[in-house]
C-alpha cells in the first residue's frame, strides 16, 4: 500500500463557505498514482471546519452561512469565551458541528466525488488568517 502526506496553508478567506477541492487536488499530485484508496483531509484549527456539499450553485454556500448564523448566533449572554471577539465562541461551536475532517474515496487516481460535490472550507471567523490542512492519501 502507498501512503502520502502533505501539509499546506490555504490563503485567508472571508467568513463563509468556500469550495477548495481544486486546491486540495493540486497540492497532492501523488493521488494520480493511487488506483483505489482514500484521501483524508484534516484542518488544524478549532474555529474553521470542513464539509462536502454542492459545488454548482453558489447560493447553497450563502444559505449555509445564513442558516448556521441563525443556529449559532453571536453575543449570547452566557458565552464566557469572548476575549477574541463576538465571533470566536460561535466559531468554535460551528466548527464542532461541521467537523475537522472529511474522507473521500480515490478511484483511478482521482477523487471519487459525486458530480455536484465539492469540499468546503467553512470559515467561521470574521478576520481569520490562512488555514492549515493535512492531506493523507493512501491506497493501492
Amino acid at each position: 500500500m502507498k501512503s502520502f502526506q502533505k501539509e499546506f496553508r490555504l490563503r485567508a478567506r472571508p467568513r463563509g463557505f468556500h469550495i477548495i477541492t481544486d486546491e486540495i487536488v493540486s497540492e497532492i499530485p501523488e493521488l494520480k498514482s493511487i488506483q483505489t484508496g482514500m484521501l483524508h483531509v484534516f484542518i488544524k484549527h478549532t474555529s474553521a471546519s470542513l464539509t462536502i456539499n454542492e459545488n454548482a450553485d453558489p447560493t447553497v454556500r450563502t444559505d449555509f452561512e445564513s442558516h448556521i448564523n441563525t443556529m449559532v448566533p453571536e453575543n449570547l449572554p452566557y458565552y464566557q469565551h469572548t476575549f477574541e471577539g463576538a465571533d470566536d465562541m460561535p466559531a468554535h461551536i460551528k466548527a464542532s458541528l461541521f467537523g475537522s475532517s472529511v474522507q473521500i474515496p480515490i478511484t483511478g487516481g482521482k477523487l471519487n466525488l459525486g458530480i455536484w460535490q465539492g469540499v468546503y472550507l467553512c470559515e467561521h471567523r470574521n478576520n481569520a488568517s490562512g488555514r492549515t490542512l493535512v492531506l493523507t492519501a493512501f491506497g493501492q
Side-chain angles (χ1 to χ4, degrees):
M1 179 163 55
K2 302 173 190 175
S3 65
F4 305 97
Q5 190 169 75
K6 170 87 184 268
E7 185 169 317
F8 79 102
R9 191 160 181 86
L10 295 166
R11 65 178 168 77
R13 287 177 166 79
R15 183 167 162 170
F17 292 75
H18 309 278
I19 297 174
I20 58 169
T21 314
D22 291 343
E23 288 173 79
I24 289 168
V25 170
S26 70
E27 287 292 333
I28 191 155
E30 296 88 353
L31 284 177
K32 295 174 186 168
S33 70
I34 298 174
Q35 291 305 302
T36 304
M38 294 294 289
L39 175 67
H40 182 262
V41 184
F42 175 77
I43 189 164
K44 294 178 71 171
H45 300 275
T46 61
S47 57
S49 54
L50 300 170
T51 194
I52 296 174
N53 216 292
E54 181 168 332
N55 66 1
D57 184 349
T59 63
V60 171
R61 297 188 309 274
T62 303
D63 289 346
F64 259 110
E65 180 67 14
S66 297
H67 186 79
I68 195 69
N69 289 333
T70 300
M71 282 179 58
V72 186
E74 295 180 4
N75 297 310
L76 291 177
Y78 53 81
Y79 289 157
Q80 295 181 35
H81 180 74
T82 58
F83 180 74
E84 294 180 44
D87 65 329
D88 190 36
M89 190 61 226
H92 292 302
I93 295 168
K94 293 170 186 178
S96 288
L97 291 172
F98 282 97
S100 59
S101 66
V102 294
Q103 287 195 143
I104 307 157
I106 302 167
T107 305
K110 297 180 181 178
L111 297 182
N112 195 346
L113 289 164
I115 191 166
W116 304 116
Q117 288 182 315
V119 180
Y120 287 14
L121 166 67
C122 314
E123 179 53 71
H124 305 302
R125 295 300 308 269
N126 292 329
N127 297 301
S129 60
R131 300 298 192 166
T132 301
L133 299 181
V134 178
L135 309 177
T136 306
F138 54 92
Q140 300 178 9

